[in-house]
Amino acid sequence: MKKQRIAIDMDDVMADANGRFREILLDRLRVDCTEHLLMPEFSWQRAFPEHYQTIHSWTYESGFFAGMKVMPDAQEVIQKLMEKYEIFVVSAAVEFPLSMQEKVEWLKIHFPFIDWRFLVFCGHKYMIKADYLIDDHLKNIAAFTEGTPLLFTAAHNRHIEGYTRVNNWREVEQLLL
Amino acid sequence: MKKQRIAIDMDDVMADANGRFREILLDRLRVDCTEHLLMPEFSWQRAFPEHYQTIHSWTYESGFFAGMKVMPDAQEVIQKLMEKYEIFVVSAAVEFPLSMQEKVEWLKIHFPFIDWRFLVFCGHKYMIKADYLIDDHLKNIAAFTEGTPLLFTAAHNRHIEGYTRVNNWREVEQLLL
């Protein structure tokens, strides 16, 4: 039987993007944003309007993506998922052209069991044919109408309702395995 | 009514990749490969076994993709197609991570009417949901089973049979418009 396919987003799903911002914010601006990340309807823009331009500019810096930590249990659970499902990593990275090379490298280092042929960089994600999409962004989840979208909890999406939510990789494991 | 979607490959479909190789071959190795490109079942490896390692290494050089010429009539026909179809540019560029930034730039320069959100870098292409795929590589054409594949003629695919073939962008225009 043909395996079902899961499309998995990278930032804030496989890689701790918000954690990377928090780390640099503390390091460069001496701001501890642990509490801010618990704000309802959190966004970096809403939490730090005065620093937003600066924070946003970090995403264009060399090393920003390379330095991201792996989300807890992502490696183990994704490797298990691969026994039962076909996995594609789908990242909206074309917006940040410099990041793509770093993301290829990051995946090689942290997920060496995922072949580069299963990595997709795009803008829109609605043209990806998959049975599941695991993503933290409402726009991707809402546009994914031909499969089952799973909203991966992140500081910026806790307020969103109406979608199946997974709070961490253990919950993905429970749901799909 | 929802527009039908066309996925369009970049190298040797929108951008003259073989022409770029020809140009560098002449420039650096003083070899004119015009006749070689007419060989049946042409490949760079078969035509130039003694230079193949060198030729292949050019694809990893900065500037290789940036210097590609636009295929004749591609701009005009793709712009016309966009009135009737939704266009995604789908390039298997993840194999050449350095090329992706150049390809984003190349597209901005030569196809400024295509938004970055409609650019996809991948390995496999069979998970792209589209009504048509225009591509020069048999592996992509053969795996595209849920839509209509159109084999775009290139030196390396003239021997392939069994698929609808388009020899140039004017033929695409005739077929789809």
Side-chain angles (χ1 to χ4, degrees):
Chain A
M1 202 182 82
K2 213 178 152 189
K3 281 179 175 178
Q4 285 196 302
R5 185 178 301 145
I6 308 174
I8 304 176
D9 177 40
M10 229 163 155
D11 294 342
D12 284 317
V13 176
M14 296 172 73
D16 188 5
N18 279 339
R20 184 77 174 127
F21 282 116
R22 185 178 56 215
E23 181 183 291
I24 304 180
L25 202 63
L26 190 60
D27 183 51
R28 297 196 194 167
L29 306 180
R30 305 285 161 205
V31 174
D32 180 354
C33 66
T34 311
E35 302 252 311
H36 298 79
L37 283 165
L38 301 171
M39 276 171 57
E41 300 193 38
F42 168 86
S43 79
W44 291 104
Q45 189 153 20
R46 186 171 295 130
F48 299 101
E50 74 281 24
H51 298 309
Y52 181 67
Q53 292 292 342
T54 308
I55 292 173
H56 185 69
S57 74
W58 298 339
T59 58
Y60 292 94
E61 281 184 17
S62 161
F64 179 77
F65 289 96
M68 284 189 195
K69 292 190 176 63
V70 178
M71 291 293 259
D73 307 313
Q75 287 150 316
E76 187 197 319
V77 175
I78 291 174
Q79 197 158 17
K80 279 187 192 168
L81 286 170
M82 287 174 74
E83 293 168 20
K84 191 175 162 191
Y85 299 91
E86 183 182 63
I87 301 295
F88 272 88
V89 176
V90 180
S91 173
V94 175
E95 190 175 3
F96 307 101
L98 273 172
S99 77
M100 292 188 279
Q101 204 187 337
E102 289 189 19
K103 288 186 165 195
V104 172
E105 282 306 310
W106 188 92
L107 206 74
K108 260 191 218 165
I109 293 166
H110 299 293
F111 294 82
F113 45 86
I114 300 178
D115 183 280
W116 68 268
R117 290 169 190 82
F118 295 86
L119 177 54
V120 181
F121 294 128
C122 55
H124 293 304
K125 296 188 180 179
Y126 59 77
M127 75 301 169
I128 299 292
K129 206 159 53 186
D131 300 286
Y132 296 92
L133 170 68
I134 307 177
D135 206 291
D136 62 311
H137 280 294
L138 176 60
K139 65 171 185 285
N140 298 325
I141 288 293
F144 188 71
T145 53
E146 289 182 34
T148 305
L150 301 175
L151 182 64
F152 198 95
T153 297
H156 47 268
N157 72 29
R158 275 191 309 258
H159 61 288
I160 294 167
E161 293 182 359
Y163 295 97
T164 302
R165 180 182 287 278
V166 281
N167 288 301
N168 52 57
W169 279 100
R170 288 295 165 211
E171 289 192 14
V172 176
E173 184 180 19
Q174 273 195 306
L175 192 71
L176 296 177
L177 288 173
Chain B
M1 202 183 81
K2 212 177 152 188
K3 281 180 175 179
Q4 284 197 302
R5 184 178 301 146
I6 308 175
I8 304 176
D9 178 39
M10 228 162 156
D11 294 342
D12 284 316
V13 175
M14 296 172 74
D16 188 3
N18 279 339
R20 183 77 172 128
F21 282 116
R22 187 178 54 216
E23 182 184 291
I24 303 180
L25 202 64
L26 190 61
D27 184 52
R28 297 197 194 168
L29 306 180
R30 303 287 161 205
V31 173
D32 180 354
C33 66
T34 311
E35 301 253 310
H36 299 79
L37 283 165
L38 300 171
M39 275 171 56
E41 301 193 39
F42 168 86
S43 78
W44 291 104
Q45 188 152 22
R46 186 172 293 130
F48 299 101
E50 74 282 22
H51 297 311
Y52 182 66
Q53 293 292 343
T54 308
I55 292 173
H56 185 69
S57 74
W58 298 339
T59 58
Y60 293 94
E61 281 184 18
S62 160
F64 179 77
F65 289 95
M68 284 188 195
K69 293 191 174 62
V70 178
M71 292 294 261
D73 307 314
Q75 287 149 316
E76 186 197 319
V77 175
I78 291 175
Q79 196 158 17
K80 279 188 193 168
L81 286 171
M82 287 174 74
E83 293 168 20
K84 190 174 162 192
Y85 299 91
E86 182 181 63
I87 301 296
F88 272 88
V89 176
V90 179
S91 174
V94 175
E95 190 175 2
F96 307 101
L98 272 172
S99 76
M100 292 187 280
Q101 203 185 337
E102 288 188 21
K103 288 186 164 195
V104 172
E105 282 306 310
W106 188 91
L107 206 75
K108 259 191 218 164
I109 293 166
H110 299 292
F111 294 82
F113 45 86
I114 299 179
D115 183 280
W116 68 269
R117 289 168 190 84
F118 295 86
L119 177 54
V120 181
F121 294 128
C122 55
H124 293 305
K125 296 188 178 179
Y126 60 77
M127 74 302 168
I128 299 292
K129 208 159 52 188
D131 300 287
Y132 296 93
L133 169 68
I134 307 177
D135 205 290
D136 61 311
H137 280 294
L138 176 61
K139 64 171 187 283
N140 298 326
I141 288 292
F144 188 72
T145 54
E146 289 181 34
T148 304
L150 301 175
L151 183 64
F152 198 95
T153 296
H156 48 268
N157 72 29
R158 276 192 308 260
H159 61 291
I160 294 168
E161 293 182 0
Y163 296 95
T164 303
R165 180 181 288 279
V166 281
N167 288 301
N168 52 57
W169 278 99
R170 287 293 164 213
E171 288 193 16
V172 176
E173 183 179 20
Q174 273 195 306
L175 192 71
L176 297 178
L177 288 173

